[in-house]
Amino acid sequence: MNLFPLFVDLARRPVLVVGGGEVAARKVAALLAAGADVTVGAPALTPQLARLAADRRIHHLDGPYAERWLDGSWLVVAATADRATNEAVASDAAHRRLFANVVDDAGLSTFHVPAIVDRSPVIVAISSGGSAPMLARRLRERLETLLDPDLGALATLLERFRTRIRTRLPAPAARRHWYDALFDSPLMAFLRARQPALAEAALEASLHAPTAPAEGRVALVGAGPGDPGLLTLKALRALNQADVILHDRLVSAEVLALARRDAEFIEVGKRGGGHSTSQDAIHQLMLEQARAGRRVVRLKGGDPFVFGRGGEELEFLRSHGVPYEVVPGITAALACAAYAGVPLTHRDHAQSVRFVTAHCRDSFDALDWRALAQERQTLAIYMGVAGLERLRARLLAHGRAATTPFALVENGSRASQRVVTGTLGQLPQTANAHKVGSPALLILGEVAALAETLHWYGAPPLVALRELSIPHAA
Ligand code: SAH
């Protein structure tokens, strides 16, 4: 180890920053956040630093650097653009046995400022010892996504209970086991759900019965359309904490690859309306797993509340007293539109958008076709390609023009994405000609034509011939 990591209490302690530019301003902001008593020495200040000085939030020493500026300081930061000044500060500081950081100069520095992930009071600091600051920054980004934002709230809560925990569990080993169980308990989920009273009650309960079995719970998680980059940070965390993951077949392999390796994966396949595991069986499975004390992730393609039967699953869990949380995902309509270059609404073409599902004959009959056939709105239709003929017939019968553009997006957001565009009059033929398969989302409305100019992802759209759609003006 070439550096000794250290967390320093700077509250009200004098710290000198030499330099008045942008870099100095960033250091000053960080030092002020830690409560330091900051003095900035420089012949000129950025407007931001000048304002801080005018508000007496920092002291300002005017003029060129002088050794006596170091008087009384606990630490010094040299942040000037002039190497000779930085060197003078570093050597004067060393003479006085003061720790000095020279910005972007590891050789002159006697302390380094790490990249941090701030979950105060928990702080993770990362240093590459000045060898590769980019690497440290990169690592910081990764940790940022992995660490629960509510870690700080947890630490604050544990701090308040600290004495009681020690009294209740005096033996260090017992205490360690208790903590381990606590981190896997619903406590974190309560903190995430902004239920501090429940979190505190869970903590109380586990103090009273420190060996009670862990309570299982279910997170209903949206996996998005396929591109793993469209997962939310919360989804990623849930996938990394899961004991068991019940996923639809629609969930992409790339998303599953981000889950905890040793989680158990159970495919409860459903695709395009085919029901291979019955909904009841899924309910039973969730219940069994949760009652066994496991953390269950019920992972669904897109968003769990958009044509995902998420509501039914929550009702079931609620009626059986199983705690749950919901993590939304990017639904197919939003993802397919974005990845096909189709704005779902547009000031000139569409003032509203409807998400419609039409997977089978029954759901077709239940739809309000007159409303769906209205102009200047976009339909995002979640369906199998088998029903396109029926769909066209109904929309035309209710007055939607045969020239209305569509974009059919197959495997939206995935490497295999294909977009086929054309007009309503030719919809089934066009889909057929290009052998569009599942999963595919149909976007119908004036905006769909924009795919031909605004596309950016993968191959350009396959454009159907439109000889029938544009009548010649007389
Ligand atoms: N809950 C999901 C929808 C489930 S219904 C969501 O919010 O996206 C299943 C239908 O979604 C499919 O028949 C298809 O129409 C659509 N779909 C899901 N993922 C898709 C994708 N990557 N590309 C195109 N369509 C998709």
Side-chain angles (χ1 to χ4, degrees):
M1 190 160 68
N2 55 347
L3 293 172
F4 185 75
L6 202 65
F7 286 87
V8 179
D9 179 5
L10 285 182
R12 290 176 299 281
R13 301 217 154 90
V15 175
L16 173 70
V17 176
V18 183
E22 293 298 338
V23 179
R26 276 203 298 279
K27 298 291 163 192
V28 168
L31 290 166
L32 286 178
D37 176 13
V38 180
T39 297
V40 174
L45 298 181
T46 66
Q48 184 196 357
L49 287 174
R51 214 169 316 119
L52 287 173
D55 293 345
R56 298 182 178 281
R57 309 244 341 257
I58 59 174
H59 315 278
H60 179 207
L61 296 170
D62 208 347
Y65 166 70
E67 205 247 338
R68 65 184 147 71
W69 285 3
L70 295 168
D71 290 350
S73 283
W74 287 65
L75 282 179
V76 53
V77 176
T80 77
D82 174 40
R83 188 167 163 91
T85 307
N86 287 347
E87 271 169 356
V89 175
S91 100
D92 292 346
H95 210 239
R96 294 182 176 216
R97 303 193 174 187
L98 259 181
F99 281 110
N101 175 257
V102 179
V103 173
D104 283 338
D105 195 329
L108 285 182
S109 297
T110 48
F111 77 91
H112 295 245
V113 182
I116 63 162
V117 183
D118 189 359
R119 299 286 187 275
S120 283
V122 177
I123 298 171
V124 181
I126 305 146
S127 163
S128 65
S131 61
M134 287 311 260
L135 194 69
R137 229 164 290 157
R138 179 84 199 222
L139 206 57
R140 186 192 73 82
E141 281 166 24
R142 292 297 303 276
L143 289 175
E144 212 38 276
T145 64
L146 290 176
L147 296 182
D148 213 299
D150 301 295
L151 218 54
L154 174 70
T156 309
L157 186 63
L158 290 176
E159 157 97 271
R160 268 177 44 220
F161 275 72
R162 197 164 156 199
T163 324
R164 279 188 54 202
I165 296 167
R166 284 186 164 256
T167 319
R168 179 82 178 87
L169 297 157
R175 206 156 58 228
R176 200 171 54 239
H177 287 143
W178 178 83
Y179 271 117
D180 279 345
L182 188 76
F183 296 141
D184 292 338
S185 77
L187 181 90
M188 280 317 287
F190 286 137
L191 289 175
R192 278 198 300 276
R194 297 287 178 274
Q195 304 277 6
L198 290 178
E200 195 163 331
L203 189 59
E204 285 281 359
S206 73
L207 266 182
H208 281 115
T211 54
E215 191 185 3
R217 49 184 304 113
V218 177
L220 192 58
V221 177
D227 178 349
L230 296 180
L231 273 180
T232 63
L233 295 182
K234 275 201 158 182
L236 189 62
R237 266 182 225 118
L239 287 173
N240 277 289
Q241 289 167 354
D243 295 313
V244 54
I245 297 171
L246 310 180
H247 62 94
D248 290 350
R249 237 188 301 166
L250 212 50
V251 176
S252 73
E254 289 87 342
V255 166
L256 291 177
L258 295 175
R260 209 177 115 198
R261 296 278 149 175
D262 45 0
E264 184 186 350
F265 294 81
I266 304 179
E267 181 178 307
V268 286
K270 265 206 238 175
R271 172 168 276 184
H275 300 262
S276 28
T277 308
S278 77
Q279 194 62 38
D280 282 345
I282 295 173
H283 289 173
Q284 287 310 324
L285 201 54
M286 284 194 300
L287 187 61
E288 272 165 34
Q289 295 286 345
R291 289 213 166 136
R294 308 181 79 189
R295 281 158 305 187
V296 181
V297 165
R298 171 73 179 104
L299 188 64
K300 290 166 170 290
D303 180 88
F305 279 0
V306 179
F307 310 131
R309 305 188 78 168
E312 289 164 56
E313 293 180 7
L314 289 199
E315 282 162 11
F316 176 85
L317 294 172
R318 187 174 172 83
S319 71
H320 288 79
V322 176
Y324 56 77
E325 65 187 298
V326 183
V327 180
I330 293 191
T331 189
L334 300 184
C336 291
Y339 279 57
V342 176
L344 289 173
T345 66
H346 190 291
R347 281 206 299 182
D348 301 333
H349 309 300
Q351 277 67 46
S352 69
V353 53
R354 286 173 187 252
F355 292 4
V356 184
T357 183
H359 269 121
C360 54
R361 195 177 289 276
D362 288 353
S363 56
F364 254 79
D365 291 335
L367 291 171
D368 178 355
W369 289 99
R370 225 166 40 144
L372 294 181
Q374 275 165 23
E375 287 182 5
R376 300 176 68 79
Q377 70 170 332
T378 308
L379 302 183
I381 307 177
Y382 295 66
M383 64 182 299
V385 278
L388 293 178
E389 177 60 61
R390 257 179 298 166
L391 177 85
R392 174 181 68 169
R394 301 270 175 126
L395 286 172
L396 291 179
H398 287 83
R400 196 64 155 127
T403 51
T404 309
F406 75 79
L408 196 50
V409 185
E410 179 194 70
N411 284 312
S413 87
R414 303 177 182 207
S416 52
Q417 169 174 305
R418 288 199 305 161
V419 180
V420 176
T421 56
T423 51
L424 177 59
Q426 300 292 309
L427 170 59
Q429 294 88 326
T430 312
N432 244 335
H434 293 292
K435 298 195 166 41
V436 175
S438 247
L441 183 109
L442 175 67
I443 303 174
L444 188 93
E446 290 72 7
V447 291
L450 292 169
E452 287 159 26
T453 43
L454 297 183
H455 69 83
W456 58 273
Y457 182 79
L462 303 157
V463 182
L465 292 177
R466 223 168 296 158
E467 71 273 24
L468 298 175
S469 60
I470 307 168
H472 288 288

